[in-house]
Amino acid sequence: MKNKPTANRLICFLIFCSLSYLSLPASQPEVQSFTGYLIVQEDGKYRVEKEEFVSFQISGREIKNLHIRLRAASGDLTFARWRTLVKDGSNFTDWFEFEGRELTGAGGKPVTYEYFLAGSYAGISPPVVPAYSMYETLKRVADSVGLPVPDRTLVIYGQNRSPIYEFFCYPDRPGNQK
């Protein structure tokens, strides 16, 4: 029975390892960070407005840390509620993966904004790939302003269901600058 202490230590070690493994948190979904710049159309021509922008993260099926910088607001904005859309045959669910409601100040800070933003809501597109219904339109606009096709878009709609702002969004990578 010379090996009994070694066997006991091995058993204790295996039990300890299995308990440690069980206490590990479940794998976290990948977090993707994006920055988007406002695309403005005037007189049939497009331009990029980098002073007005959005930044956000997508973690699994959740939108996190959304900040919207607009001249029409006294501080950064966000939408308090986000939901993942279910395809129902409407254009909105074909164009967007997420919907945001309840415009408010980012970080709970009080903010004022122009009247036309009252009651607004937003959509964030799925990844913009060639199979995406708006791909060719987005590619044409991106080409005209010298940008690559966006990875996603964020569009803010007014109460009357018309788009007010559209942002072309790109993944944040080391070296990318706002």
Short mmCIF file of all heavy atoms in Angstrom, two decimals, residues 63-118:
data_model
loop_
_atom_site.label_atom_id
_atom_site.label_comp_id
_atom_site.label_asym_id
_atom_site.label_seq_id
_atom_site.Cartn_x
_atom_site.Cartn_y
_atom_site.Cartn_z
N ILE A 63 -27.48 44.95 -27.43
CA ILE A 63 -26.80 46.20 -27.74
C ILE A 63 -26.38 46.82 -26.42
O ILE A 63 -27.18 46.94 -25.49
CB ILE A 63 -27.72 47.17 -28.50
CG1 ILE A 63 -28.23 46.53 -29.79
CG2 ILE A 63 -27.02 48.50 -28.76
CD1 ILE A 63 -27.15 46.14 -30.78
N LYS A 64 -25.11 47.22 -26.33
CA LYS A 64 -24.58 47.79 -25.09
C LYS A 64 -23.83 49.08 -25.38
O LYS A 64 -23.29 49.26 -26.47
CB LYS A 64 -23.62 46.80 -24.41
CG LYS A 64 -24.29 45.52 -23.98
CD LYS A 64 -23.31 44.62 -23.28
CE LYS A 64 -24.05 43.42 -22.71
NZ LYS A 64 -23.33 42.79 -21.66
N ASN A 65 -23.80 49.94 -24.38
CA ASN A 65 -22.97 51.16 -24.40
C ASN A 65 -23.18 52.02 -25.65
O ASN A 65 -22.22 52.57 -26.19
CB ASN A 65 -21.49 50.80 -24.27
CG ASN A 65 -21.21 50.03 -23.00
OD1 ASN A 65 -21.70 50.38 -21.94
ND2 ASN A 65 -20.45 48.96 -23.11
N LEU A 66 -24.43 52.16 -26.08
CA LEU A 66 -24.71 52.99 -27.25
C LEU A 66 -24.61 54.46 -26.85
O LEU A 66 -25.22 54.89 -25.87
CB LEU A 66 -26.11 52.71 -27.80
CG LEU A 66 -26.52 53.63 -28.95
CD1 LEU A 66 -25.87 53.15 -30.25
CD2 LEU A 66 -28.01 53.68 -29.11
N HIS A 67 -23.83 55.21 -27.62
CA HIS A 67 -23.72 56.66 -27.46
C HIS A 67 -23.93 57.29 -28.83
O HIS A 67 -23.31 56.87 -29.81
CB HIS A 67 -22.35 57.06 -26.93
CG HIS A 67 -22.17 56.73 -25.49
ND1 HIS A 67 -22.31 57.66 -24.49
CD2 HIS A 67 -21.88 55.57 -24.88
CE1 HIS A 67 -22.10 57.08 -23.32
NE2 HIS A 67 -21.85 55.80 -23.54
N ILE A 68 -24.80 58.28 -28.88
CA ILE A 68 -25.09 58.99 -30.12
C ILE A 68 -24.72 60.45 -29.90
O ILE A 68 -25.22 61.09 -28.97
CB ILE A 68 -26.59 58.90 -30.49
CG1 ILE A 68 -27.05 57.44 -30.52
CG2 ILE A 68 -26.86 59.60 -31.81
CD1 ILE A 68 -28.57 57.28 -30.55
N ARG A 69 -23.84 60.97 -30.74
CA ARG A 69 -23.44 62.38 -30.65
C ARG A 69 -24.08 63.11 -31.81
O ARG A 69 -23.78 62.83 -32.97
CB ARG A 69 -21.92 62.46 -30.71
CG ARG A 69 -21.33 63.83 -30.79
CD ARG A 69 -21.14 64.56 -29.47
NE ARG A 69 -20.70 63.80 -28.35
CZ ARG A 69 -19.43 63.60 -27.97
NH1 ARG A 69 -18.44 64.10 -28.68
NH2 ARG A 69 -19.15 62.90 -26.88
N LEU A 70 -24.98 64.05 -31.49
CA LEU A 70 -25.67 64.84 -32.50
C LEU A 70 -25.62 66.32 -32.13
O LEU A 70 -25.70 66.66 -30.93
CB LEU A 70 -27.15 64.43 -32.60
CG LEU A 70 -27.46 62.99 -32.98
CD1 LEU A 70 -28.95 62.73 -32.85
CD2 LEU A 70 -26.98 62.72 -34.40
N ARG A 71 -25.56 67.17 -33.13
CA ARG A 71 -25.64 68.61 -32.86
C ARG A 71 -27.01 68.99 -32.31
O ARG A 71 -27.15 70.00 -31.64
CB ARG A 71 -25.37 69.39 -34.15
CG ARG A 71 -23.95 69.35 -34.58
CD ARG A 71 -23.71 70.30 -35.77
NE ARG A 71 -22.37 70.10 -36.25
CZ ARG A 71 -22.06 69.59 -37.42
NH1 ARG A 71 -23.01 69.23 -38.26
NH2 ARG A 71 -20.80 69.44 -37.78
N ALA A 72 -28.01 68.18 -32.60
CA ALA A 72 -29.38 68.46 -32.19
C ALA A 72 -29.65 68.11 -30.72
O ALA A 72 -30.78 68.18 -30.26
CB ALA A 72 -30.36 67.69 -33.07
N ALA A 73 -28.60 67.75 -29.97
CA ALA A 73 -28.77 67.39 -28.56
C ALA A 73 -27.68 68.06 -27.72
O ALA A 73 -26.57 68.30 -28.20
CB ALA A 73 -28.70 65.87 -28.39
N SER A 74 -28.01 68.31 -26.45
CA SER A 74 -27.07 68.98 -25.55
C SER A 74 -26.04 68.02 -24.96
O SER A 74 -25.10 68.46 -24.30
CB SER A 74 -27.83 69.66 -24.42
OG SER A 74 -28.50 68.69 -23.62
N GLY A 75 -26.20 66.74 -25.18
CA GLY A 75 -25.27 65.74 -24.70
C GLY A 75 -25.46 64.45 -25.47
O GLY A 75 -26.32 64.37 -26.36
N ASP A 76 -24.68 63.44 -25.13
CA ASP A 76 -24.80 62.16 -25.82
C ASP A 76 -26.14 61.51 -25.50
O ASP A 76 -26.62 61.57 -24.37
CB ASP A 76 -23.67 61.21 -25.42
CG ASP A 76 -22.34 61.60 -26.06
OD1 ASP A 76 -22.31 62.57 -26.85
OD2 ASP A 76 -21.34 60.92 -25.79
N LEU A 77 -26.69 60.88 -26.50
CA LEU A 77 -27.98 60.19 -26.39
C LEU A 77 -27.78 58.68 -26.44
O LEU A 77 -26.74 58.19 -26.86
CB LEU A 77 -28.90 60.61 -27.54
CG LEU A 77 -29.24 62.09 -27.63
CD1 LEU A 77 -29.89 62.40 -28.97
CD2 LEU A 77 -30.14 62.50 -26.49
N THR A 78 -28.83 57.97 -26.06
CA THR A 78 -28.89 56.52 -26.21
C THR A 78 -30.35 56.13 -26.30
O THR A 78 -31.24 56.96 -26.11
CB THR A 78 -28.18 55.81 -25.02
OG1 THR A 78 -28.00 54.43 -25.35
CG2 THR A 78 -28.97 55.93 -23.73
N PHE A 79 -30.61 54.90 -26.58
CA PHE A 79 -31.97 54.35 -26.50
C PHE A 79 -31.99 53.40 -25.31
O PHE A 79 -31.13 52.52 -25.19
CB PHE A 79 -32.37 53.64 -27.80
CG PHE A 79 -32.66 54.60 -28.92
CD1 PHE A 79 -31.67 54.96 -29.81
CD2 PHE A 79 -33.92 55.16 -29.05
CE1 PHE A 79 -31.91 55.86 -30.84
CE2 PHE A 79 -34.19 56.08 -30.07
CZ PHE A 79 -33.18 56.42 -30.96
N ALA A 80 -32.97 53.59 -24.43
CA ALA A 80 -33.02 52.83 -23.18
C ALA A 80 -33.38 51.36 -23.38
O ALA A 80 -32.94 50.50 -22.61
CB ALA A 80 -34.03 53.47 -22.21
N ARG A 81 -34.18 51.06 -24.39
CA ARG A 81 -34.61 49.67 -24.60
C ARG A 81 -34.21 49.21 -26.00
O ARG A 81 -34.43 49.91 -26.97
CB ARG A 81 -36.14 49.55 -24.48
CG ARG A 81 -36.68 49.72 -23.11
CD ARG A 81 -38.20 49.47 -23.01
NE ARG A 81 -38.98 50.25 -23.98
CZ ARG A 81 -39.68 49.74 -24.99
NH1 ARG A 81 -39.74 48.45 -25.20
NH2 ARG A 81 -40.36 50.53 -25.81
N TRP A 82 -33.68 47.99 -26.05
CA TRP A 82 -33.33 47.36 -27.32
C TRP A 82 -33.95 45.98 -27.37
O TRP A 82 -34.06 45.30 -26.35
CB TRP A 82 -31.81 47.22 -27.46
CG TRP A 82 -31.17 48.52 -27.80
CD1 TRP A 82 -30.63 49.41 -26.93
CD2 TRP A 82 -31.03 49.08 -29.09
NE1 TRP A 82 -30.17 50.50 -27.61
CE2 TRP A 82 -30.40 50.32 -28.94
CE3 TRP A 82 -31.38 48.66 -30.38
CZ2 TRP A 82 -30.10 51.15 -30.02
CZ3 TRP A 82 -31.08 49.49 -31.45
CH2 TRP A 82 -30.44 50.71 -31.27
N ARG A 83 -34.37 45.59 -28.55
CA ARG A 83 -34.87 44.22 -28.72
C ARG A 83 -34.38 43.68 -30.05
O ARG A 83 -34.13 44.43 -30.99
CB ARG A 83 -36.39 44.15 -28.62
CG ARG A 83 -37.10 44.79 -29.80
CD ARG A 83 -38.63 44.72 -29.64
NE ARG A 83 -39.29 45.30 -30.79
CZ ARG A 83 -40.00 44.63 -31.68
NH1 ARG A 83 -40.18 43.33 -31.52
NH2 ARG A 83 -40.56 45.23 -32.69
N THR A 84 -34.24 42.36 -30.08
CA THR A 84 -33.89 41.67 -31.33
C THR A 84 -35.17 41.49 -32.12
O THR A 84 -36.19 41.05 -31.56
CB THR A 84 -33.25 40.31 -31.02
OG1 THR A 84 -32.10 40.52 -30.20
CG2 THR A 84 -32.85 39.60 -32.29
N LEU A 85 -35.14 41.82 -33.37
CA LEU A 85 -36.34 41.74 -34.20
C LEU A 85 -36.55 40.33 -34.74
O LEU A 85 -35.59 39.62 -35.03
CB LEU A 85 -36.25 42.73 -35.36
CG LEU A 85 -36.22 44.20 -34.95
CD1 LEU A 85 -35.91 45.08 -36.15
CD2 LEU A 85 -37.56 44.60 -34.34
N VAL A 86 -37.80 39.98 -34.89
CA VAL A 86 -38.19 38.71 -35.49
C VAL A 86 -38.71 39.03 -36.89
O VAL A 86 -39.53 39.93 -37.06
CB VAL A 86 -39.30 38.02 -34.65
CG1 VAL A 86 -39.78 36.76 -35.33
CG2 VAL A 86 -38.79 37.74 -33.24
N LYS A 87 -38.20 38.31 -37.87
CA LYS A 87 -38.64 38.54 -39.25
C LYS A 87 -40.15 38.31 -39.36
O LYS A 87 -40.64 37.25 -39.02
CB LYS A 87 -37.92 37.59 -40.21
CG LYS A 87 -36.42 37.77 -40.23
CD LYS A 87 -36.03 38.81 -41.21
CE LYS A 87 -34.52 38.91 -41.30
NZ LYS A 87 -34.09 40.21 -41.66
N ASP A 88 -40.85 39.37 -39.83
CA ASP A 88 -42.31 39.25 -39.97
C ASP A 88 -42.78 39.63 -41.37
O ASP A 88 -43.96 39.82 -41.60
CB ASP A 88 -43.00 40.12 -38.91
CG ASP A 88 -42.72 41.61 -39.07
OD1 ASP A 88 -42.07 42.01 -40.07
OD2 ASP A 88 -43.14 42.38 -38.19
N GLY A 89 -41.82 39.76 -42.29
CA GLY A 89 -42.17 40.11 -43.66
C GLY A 89 -42.19 41.61 -43.93
O GLY A 89 -42.33 42.03 -45.07
N SER A 90 -42.04 42.44 -42.89
CA SER A 90 -42.04 43.89 -43.08
C SER A 90 -40.66 44.35 -43.55
O SER A 90 -39.65 43.66 -43.33
CB SER A 90 -42.40 44.60 -41.78
OG SER A 90 -41.36 44.45 -40.83
N ASN A 91 -40.62 45.51 -44.18
CA ASN A 91 -39.33 46.07 -44.59
C ASN A 91 -38.44 46.30 -43.38
O ASN A 91 -37.24 46.04 -43.45
CB ASN A 91 -39.53 47.39 -45.34
CG ASN A 91 -40.01 47.19 -46.75
OD1 ASN A 91 -39.86 46.12 -47.33
ND2 ASN A 91 -40.61 48.22 -47.31
N PHE A 92 -39.01 46.79 -42.28
CA PHE A 92 -38.19 47.12 -41.11
C PHE A 92 -37.44 45.88 -40.61
O PHE A 92 -36.25 45.96 -40.32
CB PHE A 92 -39.06 47.72 -39.99
CG PHE A 92 -38.25 48.41 -38.93
CD1 PHE A 92 -37.78 49.70 -39.14
CD2 PHE A 92 -37.96 47.78 -37.74
CE1 PHE A 92 -37.01 50.35 -38.16
CE2 PHE A 92 -37.20 48.41 -36.77
CZ PHE A 92 -36.72 49.70 -36.97
N THR A 93 -38.11 44.74 -40.52
CA THR A 93 -37.42 43.54 -40.03
C THR A 93 -36.51 42.93 -41.09
O THR A 93 -35.63 42.13 -40.75
CB THR A 93 -38.40 42.47 -39.50
OG1 THR A 93 -39.26 42.05 -40.56
CG2 THR A 93 -39.21 43.01 -38.33
N ASP A 94 -36.70 43.28 -42.36
CA ASP A 94 -35.75 42.87 -43.40
C ASP A 94 -34.49 43.72 -43.34
O ASP A 94 -33.40 43.23 -43.60
CB ASP A 94 -36.37 42.98 -44.79
CG ASP A 94 -37.35 41.87 -45.09
OD1 ASP A 94 -37.34 40.84 -44.38
OD2 ASP A 94 -38.15 42.03 -46.03
N TRP A 95 -34.64 44.99 -43.00
CA TRP A 95 -33.52 45.92 -42.99
C TRP A 95 -32.73 45.91 -41.69
O TRP A 95 -31.56 46.26 -41.68
CB TRP A 95 -33.99 47.34 -43.25
CG TRP A 95 -34.61 47.55 -44.60
CD1 TRP A 95 -34.39 46.82 -45.74
CD2 TRP A 95 -35.54 48.57 -44.95
NE1 TRP A 95 -35.14 47.32 -46.77
CE2 TRP A 95 -35.86 48.40 -46.32
CE3 TRP A 95 -36.14 49.60 -44.25
CZ2 TRP A 95 -36.73 49.24 -47.00
CZ3 TRP A 95 -37.02 50.43 -44.92
CH2 TRP A 95 -37.31 50.25 -46.28
N PHE A 96 -33.40 45.55 -40.58
CA PHE A 96 -32.76 45.69 -39.26
C PHE A 96 -32.84 44.42 -38.44
O PHE A 96 -33.80 43.67 -38.51
CB PHE A 96 -33.39 46.86 -38.49
CG PHE A 96 -33.26 48.16 -39.21
CD1 PHE A 96 -34.35 48.74 -39.82
CD2 PHE A 96 -32.03 48.78 -39.32
CE1 PHE A 96 -34.24 49.93 -40.52
CE2 PHE A 96 -31.90 49.97 -40.03
CZ PHE A 96 -33.00 50.54 -40.62
N GLU A 97 -31.81 44.24 -37.62
CA GLU A 97 -31.73 43.11 -36.70
C GLU A 97 -32.16 43.51 -35.28
O GLU A 97 -32.69 42.70 -34.54
CB GLU A 97 -30.29 42.59 -36.67
CG GLU A 97 -30.07 41.39 -35.80
CD GLU A 97 -28.65 40.85 -35.88
OE1 GLU A 97 -27.79 41.44 -36.58
OE2 GLU A 97 -28.38 39.83 -35.23
N PHE A 98 -31.90 44.78 -34.92
CA PHE A 98 -32.22 45.29 -33.58
C PHE A 98 -33.04 46.57 -33.69
O PHE A 98 -32.83 47.35 -34.62
CB PHE A 98 -30.93 45.62 -32.80
CG PHE A 98 -30.00 44.46 -32.63
CD1 PHE A 98 -28.91 44.30 -33.47
CD2 PHE A 98 -30.19 43.53 -31.62
CE1 PHE A 98 -28.03 43.24 -33.32
CE2 PHE A 98 -29.32 42.47 -31.46
CZ PHE A 98 -28.24 42.32 -32.31
N GLU A 99 -33.92 46.78 -32.71
CA GLU A 99 -34.71 48.01 -32.64
C GLU A 99 -34.51 48.65 -31.28
O GLU A 99 -34.59 47.98 -30.25
CB GLU A 99 -36.19 47.71 -32.86
CG GLU A 99 -37.07 48.94 -32.73
CD GLU A 99 -38.54 48.59 -32.78
OE1 GLU A 99 -38.97 47.67 -32.04
OE2 GLU A 99 -39.25 49.25 -33.55
N GLY A 100 -34.26 49.97 -31.29
CA GLY A 100 -34.10 50.73 -30.05
C GLY A 100 -35.24 51.70 -29.87
O GLY A 100 -35.70 52.33 -30.82
N ARG A 101 -35.70 51.83 -28.62
CA ARG A 101 -36.80 52.75 -28.27
C ARG A 101 -36.41 53.54 -27.02
O ARG A 101 -35.53 53.17 -26.28
CB ARG A 101 -38.09 51.97 -27.98
CG ARG A 101 -38.66 51.21 -29.16
CD ARG A 101 -39.42 52.14 -30.06
NE ARG A 101 -39.96 51.43 -31.21
CZ ARG A 101 -40.89 51.92 -32.00
NH1 ARG A 101 -41.40 53.09 -31.76
NH2 ARG A 101 -41.30 51.24 -33.04
N GLU A 102 -37.14 54.61 -26.78
CA GLU A 102 -37.00 55.46 -25.59
C GLU A 102 -35.68 56.23 -25.60
O GLU A 102 -34.76 55.92 -24.85
CB GLU A 102 -37.16 54.67 -24.29
CG GLU A 102 -38.53 54.09 -24.09
CD GLU A 102 -38.65 53.29 -22.79
OE1 GLU A 102 -37.92 53.57 -21.81
OE2 GLU A 102 -39.49 52.38 -22.78
N LEU A 103 -35.62 57.26 -26.42
CA LEU A 103 -34.45 58.12 -26.50
C LEU A 103 -34.23 58.82 -25.16
O LEU A 103 -35.17 59.36 -24.57
CB LEU A 103 -34.65 59.15 -27.61
CG LEU A 103 -33.44 59.99 -28.00
CD1 LEU A 103 -32.34 59.11 -28.59
CD2 LEU A 103 -33.86 61.05 -29.01
N THR A 104 -33.01 58.79 -24.69
CA THR A 104 -32.67 59.37 -23.39
C THR A 104 -31.20 59.78 -23.37
O THR A 104 -30.47 59.49 -24.32
CB THR A 104 -32.99 58.37 -22.25
OG1 THR A 104 -32.84 59.02 -21.00
CG2 THR A 104 -32.11 57.15 -22.31
N GLY A 105 -30.78 60.42 -22.30
CA GLY A 105 -29.39 60.80 -22.15
C GLY A 105 -28.52 59.59 -21.85
O GLY A 105 -28.89 58.74 -21.03
N ALA A 106 -27.36 59.50 -22.49
CA ALA A 106 -26.43 58.39 -22.24
C ALA A 106 -25.93 58.47 -20.81
O ALA A 106 -25.72 59.55 -20.26
CB ALA A 106 -25.27 58.45 -23.22
N GLY A 107 -25.79 57.31 -20.19
CA GLY A 107 -25.30 57.25 -18.82
C GLY A 107 -26.27 57.83 -17.82
O GLY A 107 -25.87 58.19 -16.71
N GLY A 108 -27.54 57.98 -18.18
CA GLY A 108 -28.54 58.53 -17.28
C GLY A 108 -28.45 60.03 -17.09
O GLY A 108 -29.14 60.61 -16.24
N LYS A 109 -27.60 60.70 -17.85
CA LYS A 109 -27.43 62.15 -17.71
C LYS A 109 -28.59 62.88 -18.36
O LYS A 109 -29.07 62.48 -19.42
CB LYS A 109 -26.12 62.60 -18.34
CG LYS A 109 -24.90 62.06 -17.64
CD LYS A 109 -23.64 62.52 -18.30
CE LYS A 109 -22.43 61.95 -17.58
NZ LYS A 109 -21.19 62.26 -18.26
N PRO A 110 -29.03 63.97 -17.74
CA PRO A 110 -30.10 64.77 -18.37
C PRO A 110 -29.60 65.40 -19.67
O PRO A 110 -28.45 65.83 -19.76
CB PRO A 110 -30.43 65.84 -17.33
CG PRO A 110 -29.46 65.70 -16.22
CD PRO A 110 -28.61 64.50 -16.46
N VAL A 111 -30.46 65.43 -20.64
CA VAL A 111 -30.09 65.98 -21.94
C VAL A 111 -31.34 66.58 -22.58
O VAL A 111 -32.46 66.11 -22.34
CB VAL A 111 -29.46 64.89 -22.84
CG1 VAL A 111 -30.44 63.80 -23.19
CG2 VAL A 111 -28.84 65.47 -24.08
N THR A 112 -31.14 67.62 -23.35
CA THR A 112 -32.23 68.17 -24.14
C THR A 112 -31.90 67.94 -25.61
O THR A 112 -30.73 67.81 -25.98
CB THR A 112 -32.41 69.69 -23.90
OG1 THR A 112 -31.20 70.35 -24.21
CG2 THR A 112 -32.81 69.95 -22.46
N TYR A 113 -32.95 67.86 -26.43
CA TYR A 113 -32.73 67.65 -27.85
C TYR A 113 -33.84 68.31 -28.64
O TYR A 113 -34.89 68.67 -28.09
CB TYR A 113 -32.60 66.16 -28.20
CG TYR A 113 -33.67 65.26 -27.63
CD1 TYR A 113 -34.93 65.16 -28.21
CD2 TYR A 113 -33.40 64.49 -26.50
CE1 TYR A 113 -35.90 64.31 -27.70
CE2 TYR A 113 -34.37 63.65 -25.98
CZ TYR A 113 -35.61 63.56 -26.58
OH TYR A 113 -36.57 62.73 -26.06
N GLU A 114 -33.59 68.50 -29.91
CA GLU A 114 -34.54 69.17 -30.80
C GLU A 114 -35.86 68.39 -30.86
O GLU A 114 -35.89 67.17 -30.76
CB GLU A 114 -33.95 69.30 -32.20
CG GLU A 114 -32.71 70.16 -32.28
CD GLU A 114 -32.97 71.64 -32.09
OE1 GLU A 114 -34.10 72.09 -32.38
OE2 GLU A 114 -32.05 72.34 -31.65
N TYR A 115 -36.94 69.12 -31.07
CA TYR A 115 -38.29 68.56 -31.07
C TYR A 115 -38.47 67.40 -32.03
O TYR A 115 -39.20 66.45 -31.75
CB TYR A 115 -39.31 69.66 -31.40
CG TYR A 115 -39.25 70.10 -32.85
CD1 TYR A 115 -40.07 69.51 -33.80
CD2 TYR A 115 -38.34 71.06 -33.27
CE1 TYR A 115 -40.01 69.88 -35.14
CE2 TYR A 115 -38.26 71.44 -34.60
CZ TYR A 115 -39.10 70.85 -35.52
OH TYR A 115 -39.01 71.20 -36.84
N PHE A 116 -37.80 67.42 -33.19
CA PHE A 116 -38.00 66.37 -34.19
C PHE A 116 -37.48 65.00 -33.75
O PHE A 116 -37.78 63.99 -34.35
CB PHE A 116 -37.40 66.76 -35.56
CG PHE A 116 -35.91 66.97 -35.54
CD1 PHE A 116 -35.04 65.91 -35.70
CD2 PHE A 116 -35.39 68.24 -35.38
CE1 PHE A 116 -33.68 66.09 -35.69
CE2 PHE A 116 -34.02 68.45 -35.39
CZ PHE A 116 -33.16 67.37 -35.54
N LEU A 117 -36.69 64.97 -32.67
CA LEU A 117 -36.21 63.69 -32.14
C LEU A 117 -37.20 63.06 -31.14
O LEU A 117 -37.05 61.89 -30.79
CB LEU A 117 -34.85 63.87 -31.46
CG LEU A 117 -33.68 64.04 -32.42
CD1 LEU A 117 -32.45 64.54 -31.68
CD2 LEU A 117 -33.39 62.73 -33.13
N ALA A 118 -38.20 63.82 -30.70
CA ALA A 118 -39.19 63.27 -29.75
C ALA A 118 -39.89 62.08 -30.39
O ALA A 118 -40.33 62.13 -31.54
CB ALA A 118 -40.19 64.35 -29.37
#
